[in-house]
């Protein structure tokens, strides 16, 4: 399943299928498994500022 999560502050979308190459997150990494210190690569807010997209 390819889930996406949107940053409430800047609108950046974390796509589990793509990961986040800029911060070393491998493709296929579930949002829940992102490191505790992971932050939005655009505006630097923590992951609790993201909402799941339906």
């Amino acid at each position: 399943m390819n889930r996406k999560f949107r940053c409430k502050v800047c609108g950046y979308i974390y796509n589990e299928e793509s990961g986040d190459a800029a911060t070393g997150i491998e493709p296929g990494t579930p949002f829940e498994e992102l490191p505790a210190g992971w932050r939005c690569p655009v505006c630097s807010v923590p992951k609790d500022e993201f909402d799941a997209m339906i």
Side-chain angles (χ1 to χ4, degrees):
M1 181 163 63
N2 181 29
R3 297 182 308 158
K4 297 177 184 177
F5 296 80
R6 177 177 294 155
C7 177
K8 296 182 214 176
V9 176
C10 72
Y12 168 81
I13 296 173
Y14 174 75
N15 181 337
E16 290 181 337
E17 186 176 271
S18 302
D20 181 19
T23 59
I25 304 299
E26 294 291 323
T29 302
F31 188 79
E32 295 80 13
E33 293 181 16
L34 292 173
W38 184 86
R39 298 176 91 63
C40 176
V42 175
C43 70
S44 297
V45 298
K47 63 184 193 175
D48 65 351
E49 292 293 325
F50 280 71
D51 284 327
M53 297 173 66
I54 297 176

